[in-house]
Amino acid sequence: MLLQWCTLSPAGPSNLSAIRFSSPSRVHSIKIFPTDVQPFGQCPDIIARTEPEAFFLDVYFNAHPVGSPVDAKQKLKAPNALMPTVIPYAGGIVEYAVNMGSEFATRLMIVRGDFETVSMAIYGDVVSDAPPKSPTYSPLSLPTHSSVPLVPALDAAKSKDPTALARNLLGLIPDAPSLSLVIRLMFCLKQPNDDWELPEFPHLYSDLNEEDMDIDLDTAFRCLSRPVVDGISSEQLYRYAKKVSEAVGPRDDAQSYLIAGILSRSASQTPEFTQALMQALDLETIFDPSTLDEDTLFTLLDASTNPDISRLLKASWFLNVLRAVLVLPSVTPQMKKACRRLSDRVGSWTVFEQALSGVPDADYTRAALFLEDIGKEEKSFGIWLSCITTHEDLLAKIRDAPAYEGVYPLDLMSGLNHSEDITHSEFIAFVRAYVGVASVLAVYAWSDSLPNLHCRERTLGVLRLWQEIPGYRAIISPLLLLPQMTFRLECMTIGNDPPTTAGINAESLLFALAANPQSFLNPDFVHCVRGWEPWSLTWINERERADIERAAKIADEGIGGAVEELVGFAKEGLDAILDQGRIRALRVAVAVIMHALEDNTESGTKCGDWTVLEAVWGEHTHGLLNYAIDVFTRISVEVKQGFSLTPSPSPTIGLEPLLLVTNESLHLIASLHALSIMTSRAVRILVSSVLDIYSCADVASHESVANCAVRDAALLVKHACANVLCAFSRSSQDQPKCGPSVVLRTLFEEGLHFDNVDPARRLLSAFYLVLRVLADDGDSLPVGWMPVVIPQILTPLTIFFRHLEPVHKVQLVQRLVSLDRGVLGLGEFLVQGEVQRLAGLLKVMAERGVVTQWEVGAGLEFVAGLMEDEDGDWCIAALRQSELGTIMTGLLEASLYSKHLGTIAGRLAENPESLGIELRLSVVAALLRGVQVQEPSVCRMNAFGLISAVLETTDEKDRDPERLLWEVGHALGAVVESNDNLSSLDSESVVNTLLLLDSPSQSDLHGLTSEQWVKLYTHLETSLPPNMLPMLPIIKGFHPSPSPPPTISFLPSTLTLPLYDLISLLQPPASLPSTPPPKRKSPSQDVLGLVAISPPTAVLRSPAVTGLTKTYTRNDFRELRQLPSARQNTSRLPSMHVDEFLQVEMSSPPLVQPVAPSGDMLNLSPSFNMGKENGYI
């Protein structure tokens, strides 16, 4: 609501103005209006008046506490605390947000500044001094996240011409050159300062019509320092190319560099110019391993950004030259980097063009990373931008691509999106956004060079808006780190008094760059932020400036400063304070160390590892990996507090920066693992913290989380958690205790350790991490690890396995079986153990009720899930030697059934010969019971066909006709009752089943009425084949015996319990009462207790005492032992009266001497210390 509208003018020598609110108010925002603006449409007579156009405002709010239980007198005695803030007003209608918090309001607002008048509207809420009422519970729905799309004019990702916005911005400059010329001048062919002063500038072009036909390569190279006019004829281009070709002489380093320079300068010109040079030059006679130095390689790297030059350099001869350079003895690390990047770039252009065309199996991820690579150097970036905007074939692919339906373009340069998950329209939207951002950057550089303030301000406003959009932010941030871009932004942040809109936008752009630690690896950015003077910025406050300056100092000091910061934080332990500044410093330190380690991959050497080790030794310490683990552990504690089950204080740090620093520290730990020797204790601490973080990130990555930045960071953390555990699981055989054994054991044990967290979420997180460690192919684990590791972790594995859901049990066992390959029989062991546990539960099911029924049903679901798998034969073989038959019989006798029981019985009936007789009869009874309850899984199979097949494998004496005929009768009754025409009934199998169970002593079919029997018999007469019609008289000998159907209950698939029962289940078992142990006496008391002297000090004067023991003389000892009291046993129970004890003692039998048992000593029970945990059951 509008709290106040006013036009203020300063008064007094301090230039102060004040606004007093009639009641305590909480200000949310302040909106300032320029002169002659009508702020309210319904009140046209109100006109704003603000002079001058730009100034700083110092705003002070009187802090008024609200909602406090103190009385009015104490409030009046409270000091008048002022909350200051600064508003940089640079003109226009600007609204500034104010965050006063929920604990304070204000009655007074004081404004000070160098202004004449200022018109402002103050918005907020009126706050009552009365104590708030106790809140009442009202259910709320989860917040929904909806993205606001950009207006079409600013959304380059959806525009057919992504350069349209840049051309419109360029049109704000009078007599502006074309966009293609601006791109060449700003990025590719930078002109000397003298040319900028010429009246013809920027229309200064190279003159290729040289009269002298004998030009040399140096002249040709210098001739291309200016752009070539677009309208030049093809004859002039080919004539110039021929002159260059004729100037080529014998191979040498200088000639190779000049040819590479000519190619690089022509790469950004018209396409015909490059094609003419390609036809005239024979590069195979110019370049060889001996003539390619570092400068030539990097110049060719720029030139290869042109698609025509890239196709020429993709020839096999040139790639062989690059391979030969890599093996030269004199090759430097920088040359290796250039060779690898050049080889990758010439191949990536083909991939990029395929991705633009949308060919099947296009590698969109590599094509996006190709754009990330060219954005690292200004010249490569300018050449690519010039080519993409001038080559008609490339423009047509972008223009004619299908429309993009998403809200924002995707971030494809992170490399996290798999190529098969990216569509063609998503890639085209990303390319359009990249071209649009790059074109606007070129316009910004041009407007800043002139300068044109209006165009520069508009362009910076567009860039600032794009930096707030996730897809655009990923594109614009690395491009702003180009040297000239960083320099231009730095200049705009200096001397910004009075404030300007462009300067505020520049600070905002740099502040957003400072949120990414990779920006501090850029020396130009570090130089920029370290040049800021205290209290010199308008948009960035002093605390943020100091934090950024501290992080820049760490990056400037290099690997030594990064190690010092990391080790210092780790040594502080749990007392280390985490705030925004410390997190920024830690992220920069980690980025600096990671950059040094990644130098190994780029240069092909181990210099990065050695640099890190030297820095660690320089800090007079060792074990950087242990310090990194300590840092990660401290961060995990901070993250875990936000996901605890009990209420915790409001976090002072956002979740996104915590997750980002967690992700980066995990990558550092994984990289340092190869350089360090770990102890099992450190690995256990790491794995436990990884599990904590993974559980939290799993919650934060849910779709219900409204903040998409938090979701993306959580997904990064989950991926990093799995990667670091896989890295530690690949430990070599010389560290067996720090490899997969300790990783898996810790996951199994910590997954069941619930410390103020959601137990189900933690168990599920541990399960997912176990699956990631146990990769499908097992390539991430040492060779032959299963026989060594599994016996060491068998007990925690079994306990962890029993706590999983059935579907997760199936996945874990299948993964272990695929890795075991029948060597240990681990799958069979787990299945048989689960069946044994179910058999034990069945015995106590009547006492424990529904909970045990649910457990049994879950166990059957697990067994059925394994048997349904294509490779489930091993499970069937394991079940043959288990107590499954007893379980099936027990469930049927208890009138319980499960849909999974029918599935198990059906799979076992497919090969009945290998089953025992008890299990066969149980299978038959389970199938018949499934027919009775019309279980869909049983109805889909030919139940009676399976039943007759199983009965045929049994002897007549082993069958139980009375029991089975009872089941058959009720099954047939259920079939006849539920079907009208009995067309789905296999008549032949029914007759075979009845014949196999025909017995002279039993001919009654219980459960069938006379009408049902007639209907069934009639169907058999009409549906049986002719060869089985003679069997009908035998079938007719059976007699229907009506009886009520059995009451069969299904095992519950879900568990619903009252809250009281749930609390009872979660209560820990009560300890048995026992007599407390005697109170331990001090050694001096024990010693003095041997002496019958009182007081104890008399022991020092007693003549009968020498030292601390009593000396007996003559027959004192013998006489004492002759007293009756010396022979009495006074070892009565503490709770027994003396008289009762004497009575029992008088009636006790004589002393019984133990007798050693006869027989084999091996039949004795195991000793007391050989319990279940050691393998004994």
Side-chain angles (χ1 to χ4, degrees):
M1 61 177 292
L2 178 64
L3 295 176
Q4 184 79 26
W5 161 259
C6 59
T7 299
L8 302 178
S9 297
S14 300
N15 290 334
L16 295 178
S17 299
I19 302 172
R20 185 169 182 84
F21 302 100
S22 59
S23 61
S25 303
R26 184 174 292 118
V27 178
H28 294 163
S29 64
I30 300 173
K31 182 180 287 189
I32 300 178
F33 297 86
T35 301
D36 297 334
V37 171
Q38 296 180 353
F40 309 108
Q42 298 178 353
C43 302
D45 55 329
I46 299 178
I47 300 176
R49 192 160 47 91
T50 300
E51 297 294 341
E53 295 182 356
F55 49 83
F56 287 99
L57 280 181
D58 296 326
V59 182
Y60 302 90
F61 293 99
N62 167 246
H64 180 83
V66 294
S68 177
V70 299
D71 55 21
K73 291 184 178 180
Q74 291 177 333
K75 283 190 175 182
L76 291 175
K77 294 179 181 179
N80 291 325
L82 296 178
M83 297 183 295
T85 185
V86 178
I87 295 178
Y89 178 68
I93 302 176
V94 185
E95 186 172 6
Y96 302 92
V98 179
N99 183 15
M100 297 190 66
S102 60
E103 299 179 357
F104 293 94
T106 185
R107 283 181 175 273
L108 179 65
M109 174 177 164
I110 302 174
V111 179
R112 183 181 66 178
D114 295 331
F115 64 95
E116 297 177 6
T117 58
V118 57
S119 296
M120 63 175 64
I122 304 171
Y123 296 91
D125 297 322
V126 177
V127 180
S128 174
D129 274 338
K133 299 180 180 180
S134 57
T136 57
Y137 171 76
S138 59
L140 300 175
S141 60
L142 291 175
T144 57
H145 175 68
S146 59
S147 301
V148 180
L150 289 171
V151 296
L154 298 176
D155 198 355
K158 297 180 181 178
S159 174
K160 293 289 185 180
D161 182 11
T163 63
L165 177 60
R167 299 180 194 278
N168 292 334
L169 291 172
L170 192 61
L172 298 176
I173 303 175
D175 301 326
S178 64
L179 180 62
S180 60
L181 181 58
V182 168
I183 293 172
R184 295 171 192 169
L185 293 176
M186 290 294 97
F187 299 116
C188 307
L189 305 171
K190 297 181 180 181
Q191 303 302 296
N193 294 334
D194 294 340
D195 286 1
W196 285 78
E197 304 297 332
L198 297 176
E200 299 88 357
F201 186 82
H203 301 287
L204 299 174
Y205 301 103
S206 297
D207 185 10
L208 301 184
N209 296 321
E210 295 284 349
E211 297 296 335
D212 185 7
M213 298 299 295
D214 297 329
I215 62 173
D216 56 9
L217 293 179
D218 185 63
T219 304
F221 174 71
R222 286 185 286 103
C223 180
L224 295 179
S225 61
R226 291 177 176 176
V228 176
V229 65
D230 291 337
I232 192 172
S233 64
S234 300
E235 293 77 8
Q236 291 176 314
L237 296 176
Y238 280 98
R239 187 164 56 249
Y240 176 82
K242 185 177 180 181
K243 296 178 184 178
V244 174
S245 176
E246 293 173 352
V248 175
R251 292 175 177 171
D252 58 29
D253 296 349
Q255 177 176 271
S256 297
Y257 175 75
L258 290 175
I259 292 295
I262 292 173
L263 293 177
S264 176
R265 290 187 172 184
S266 66
S268 61
Q269 310 288 356
T270 60
E272 294 81 4
F273 189 18
T274 306
Q275 295 169 3
L277 286 173
M278 294 298 96
Q279 295 179 13
L281 295 174
D282 184 9
L283 300 183
E284 190 171 2
T285 62
I286 300 173
F287 301 121
D288 68 355
S290 62
T291 60
L292 291 179
D293 56 13
E294 183 177 323
D295 293 336
T296 304
L297 286 171
F298 278 104
T299 305
L300 285 175
L301 181 64
D302 293 333
S304 63
T305 314
N306 182 288
D308 298 319
I309 298 176
S310 178
R311 295 187 193 99
L312 188 63
L313 297 181
K314 195 181 178 183
S316 58
W317 69 267
F318 184 74
L319 297 179
N320 291 331
V321 169
L322 295 179
R323 297 188 190 100
V325 172
L326 289 174
V327 298
L328 288 176
S330 59
V331 65
T332 63
Q334 292 299 321
M335 292 177 64
K336 288 185 177 182
K337 291 181 184 179
C339 286
R340 288 187 172 89
R341 291 184 62 190
L342 181 56
S343 176
D344 180 72
R345 182 167 295 184
V346 296
S348 297
W349 248 116
T350 304
V351 176
F352 179 76
E353 290 182 305
Q354 292 174 350
L356 282 181
S357 303
V359 300
D361 301 329
D363 193 349
Y364 295 113
T365 301
R366 184 182 176 186
L369 294 178
F370 163 68
L371 295 185
E372 180 187 26
D373 182 64
I374 65 171
K376 295 179 180 179
E377 290 92 10
E378 286 187 7
K379 197 164 188 178
S380 295
F381 168 71
I383 291 173
W384 180 87
L385 183 58
S386 178
C387 293
I388 205 72
T389 55
T390 56
H391 285 59
E392 187 58 35
D393 55 338
L394 299 177
L395 279 176
K397 294 177 181 179
I398 297 176
R399 182 176 56 249
D400 302 335
Y404 177 57
E405 301 297 335
V407 181
Y408 303 136
L410 300 180
D411 177 12
L412 302 184
M413 292 193 297
S414 62
L416 298 178
N417 299 290
H418 298 288
S419 183
E420 56 271 12
D421 298 333
I422 304 172
T423 63
H424 181 230
S425 62
E426 291 173 343
F427 178 76
I428 290 296
F430 166 75
V431 174
R432 287 172 174 170
Y434 194 97
V435 174
V437 170
S439 302
V440 172
L441 283 175
V443 175
Y444 162 65
W446 180 255
S447 64
D448 185 57
S449 300
L450 292 179
N452 186 282
L453 303 183
H454 182 51
C455 179
R456 182 176 66 181
E457 181 179 317
R458 290 289 187 90
T459 306
L460 280 173
V462 173
L463 295 177
R464 183 181 179 183
L465 173 65
W466 277 344
Q467 203 171 41
E468 302 297 327
I469 308 300
Y472 286 97
R473 184 191 307 124
I475 298 173
I476 193 174
S477 294
L479 296 181
L480 287 177
L481 293 175
L482 292 173
Q484 69 161 303
M485 293 298 166
T486 306
F487 176 74
R488 295 181 188 279
L489 293 176
E490 178 187 3
C491 294
M492 299 192 65
T493 60
I494 298 175
N496 196 17
D497 188 7
T500 61
T501 302
I504 293 174
N505 290 336
E507 287 187 26
S508 175
L509 292 171
L510 289 172
F511 183 76
L513 289 179
N516 187 355
Q518 297 297 321
S519 302
F520 290 87
L521 302 179
N522 187 305
D524 298 302
F525 179 79
V526 171
H527 178 269
C528 169
V529 298
R530 295 206 71 182
W532 290 338
E533 296 292 335
W535 308 101
S536 63
L537 302 178
T538 59
W539 192 84
I540 302 175
N541 61 47
E542 181 57 23
R543 181 185 57 81
E544 293 169 342
R545 186 207 64 80
D547 292 341
I548 294 174
E549 201 276 336
R550 176 186 177 185
K553 181 180 179 182
I554 294 174
D556 208 11
E557 292 175 352
I559 190 68
V563 170
E564 181 182 1
E565 175 66 24
L566 197 69
V567 172
F569 181 83
K571 289 182 177 180
E572 294 179 20
L574 296 178
D575 297 331
I577 299 177
L578 269 177
D579 53 16
Q580 293 287 356
R582 197 65 183 271
I583 287 180
R584 191 194 307 273
L586 285 175
R587 294 185 66 192
V588 171
V590 172
V592 170
I593 299 175
M594 285 296 297
H595 181 69
L597 294 174
E598 290 170 356
D599 187 62
N600 300 338
T601 304
E602 296 182 0
S603 62
T605 64
K606 294 295 182 181
C607 58
D609 297 350
W610 181 250
T611 303
V612 173
L613 290 175
E614 281 189 323
V616 174
W617 298 332
E619 294 297 323
H620 305 288
T621 186
H622 59 85
L624 184 60
L625 178 57
N626 292 319
Y627 289 116
I629 293 176
D630 292 340
V631 171
F632 170 71
T633 304
R634 172 65 184 91
I635 299 171
S636 68
V637 172
E638 192 76 19
V639 175
K640 190 178 177 182
Q641 287 180 356
F643 295 86
S644 61
L645 295 180
T646 57
S648 57
S650 300
T652 58
I653 312 173
L655 183 58
E656 182 189 1
L658 284 174
L659 291 175
L660 290 175
V661 70
T662 300
N663 170 61
E664 292 152 7
S665 60
L666 283 172
H667 284 290
L668 175 63
I669 291 172
S671 300
L672 291 175
H673 175 249
L675 307 177
S676 309
I677 298 177
M678 292 295 298
T679 62
S680 59
R681 176 181 178 274
V683 177
R684 284 195 299 270
I685 293 175
L686 172 65
V687 176
S688 178
S689 300
V690 166
L691 180 57
D692 292 338
I693 285 293
Y694 189 92
S695 301
C696 300
D698 193 32
V699 177
S701 63
H702 198 268
E703 290 296 331
S704 61
V705 178
N707 193 334
C708 60
V710 172
R711 291 203 309 268
D712 295 341
L715 291 174
L716 291 174
V717 170
K718 291 175 63 176
H719 185 71
C721 287
N723 286 343
V724 75
L725 291 188
C726 291
F728 276 78
S729 299
R730 289 193 295 265
S731 295
S732 57
Q733 295 294 338
D734 57 347
Q735 298 186 48
K737 295 184 179 180
C738 298
S741 175
V742 66
V743 171
L744 291 174
R745 173 182 286 274
T746 307
L747 286 175
F748 293 147
E749 294 175 349
E750 293 296 326
L752 303 178
H753 180 66
F754 314 126
D755 182 17
N756 200 21
V757 294
D758 184 359
R761 177 71 63 177
R762 186 173 181 84
L763 179 63
L764 190 61
S765 299
F767 166 74
Y768 287 144
L769 289 175
V770 168
L771 287 188
R772 288 298 304 269
V773 174
L774 301 174
D776 290 325
D777 51 6
D779 293 341
S780 61
L781 295 167
V783 179
W785 70 276
M786 285 282 287
V788 178
V789 172
I790 293 300
Q792 302 175 11
I793 62 173
L794 189 57
T795 300
L797 166 62
T798 306
I799 299 174
F800 178 80
F801 163 79
R802 289 179 179 176
H803 284 78
L804 294 175
E805 293 287 337
V807 62
H808 298 146
K809 286 183 179 180
V810 172
Q811 296 179 34
L812 179 60
V813 171
Q814 289 176 345
R815 183 67 55 85
L816 290 172
V817 168
S818 64
L819 295 174
D820 185 20
R821 299 173 184 174
V823 175
L824 297 177
L826 184 57
E828 291 84 349
F829 170 80
L830 293 175
V831 169
Q832 292 176 356
E834 183 69 6
V835 173
Q836 184 180 4
R837 187 179 71 89
L838 296 180
L841 291 174
L842 197 63
K843 297 177 182 178
V844 297
M845 188 166 57
E847 303 173 3
R848 299 184 180 178
V850 66
V851 177
T852 305
Q853 292 182 15
W854 174 79
E855 288 189 77
V856 174
L860 294 177
E861 181 182 354
F862 158 68
V863 176
L866 287 177
M867 299 181 71
E868 289 177 343
D869 188 60
E870 297 179 356
D871 301 329
D873 295 337
W874 65 268
C875 180
I876 299 176
L879 292 174
R880 296 169 188 160
Q881 304 174 1
S882 65
E883 302 180 49
L884 182 61
T886 304
I887 296 174
M888 298 172 72
T889 303
L891 288 175
L892 298 179
E893 291 177 352
S895 297
L896 293 173
Y897 199 76
S898 170
K899 63 179 182 179
H900 306 292
L901 191 61
T903 303
I904 295 172
R907 287 284 283 135
L908 291 175
E910 295 175 0
N911 187 15
E913 292 83 1
S914 59
L915 306 178
I917 184 61
E918 180 184 358
L919 186 55
R920 296 185 207 181
L921 297 180
S922 299
V923 167
V924 171
L927 290 174
L928 289 172
R929 192 65 62 88
V931 176
Q932 294 176 31
V933 299
Q934 292 293 289
E935 168 59 36
S937 62
V938 178
C939 295
R940 285 192 297 268
M941 62 180 75
N942 184 8
F944 281 99
L946 294 174
I947 291 169
S948 61
V950 174
L951 290 176
E952 287 175 355
T953 62
T954 61
D955 296 333
E956 185 176 355
K957 60 182 179 61
D958 296 329
R959 301 168 192 157
D960 188 358
E962 181 178 358
R963 171 195 169 197
L964 294 182
L965 278 177
W966 189 92
E967 299 283 355
V968 170
H970 284 87
L972 292 175
V975 171
V976 175
E977 185 68 24
S978 61
N979 294 276
D980 295 334
N981 54 11
L982 301 180
S983 59
S984 60
L985 184 64
D986 186 0
S987 302
E988 187 174 351
S989 299
V990 172
V991 171
N992 286 335
T993 301
L994 293 174
L995 292 176
L996 290 170
L997 296 177
D998 184 25
S999 173
S1001 61
Q1002 180 64 34
S1003 60
D1004 292 338
L1005 288 175
H1006 295 276
L1008 272 176
T1009 64
S1010 300
E1011 293 79 6
Q1012 292 174 340
W1013 174 247
V1014 171
K1015 182 179 179 180
L1016 175 63
Y1017 189 80
T1018 304
H1019 174 73
L1020 293 178
E1021 288 180 328
T1022 58
S1023 60
L1024 282 175
N1027 61 335
M1028 294 198 68
L1029 291 177
M1031 304 298 178
L1032 283 178
I1034 303 176
I1035 302 301
K1036 196 171 184 179
F1038 288 94
H1039 306 289
S1041 177
S1043 61
T1047 304
I1048 302 174
S1049 302
F1050 277 83
L1051 292 175
S1053 58
T1054 59
L1055 192 59
T1056 303
L1057 293 175
L1059 183 60
Y1060 177 80
D1061 294 344
L1062 183 61
I1063 294 175
S1064 300
L1065 287 175
L1066 296 178
Q1067 288 293 336
S1071 57
L1072 295 176
S1074 60
T1075 303
K1079 199 169 184 180
R1080 183 179 176 87
K1081 300 179 180 179
S1082 63
S1084 61
Q1085 291 177 331
D1086 290 341
V1087 172
L1088 295 177
L1090 299 175
V1091 184
I1093 300 176
S1094 181
T1097 54
V1099 73
L1100 303 177
R1101 305 187 300 270
S1102 175
V1105 175
T1106 58
L1108 292 178
T1109 58
K1110 181 179 179 180
T1111 304
Y1112 292 91
T1113 59
R1114 297 180 182 179
N1115 291 328
D1116 290 349
F1117 183 79
R1118 295 180 182 272
E1119 292 174 358
L1120 288 174
R1121 294 299 297 168
Q1122 297 301 321
L1123 296 176
S1125 61
R1127 298 192 302 270
Q1128 291 180 358
N1129 181 13
T1130 59
S1131 301
R1132 61 181 177 86
L1133 297 176
S1135 59
M1136 184 178 292
H1137 195 269
V1138 177
D1139 296 336
E1140 296 175 353
F1141 174 77
L1142 292 176
Q1143 183 179 0
V1144 172
E1145 188 180 24
M1146 294 298 295
S1147 61
S1148 61
L1151 183 62
V1152 179
Q1153 297 292 335
V1155 180
S1158 60
D1160 190 0
M1161 294 295 292
L1162 296 179
N1163 293 329
L1164 298 178
S1165 299
S1167 57
F1168 69 93
N1169 62 345
M1170 302 171 68
K1172 293 183 179 181
E1173 63 275 6
N1174 293 313
Y1176 290 90
I1177 305 299

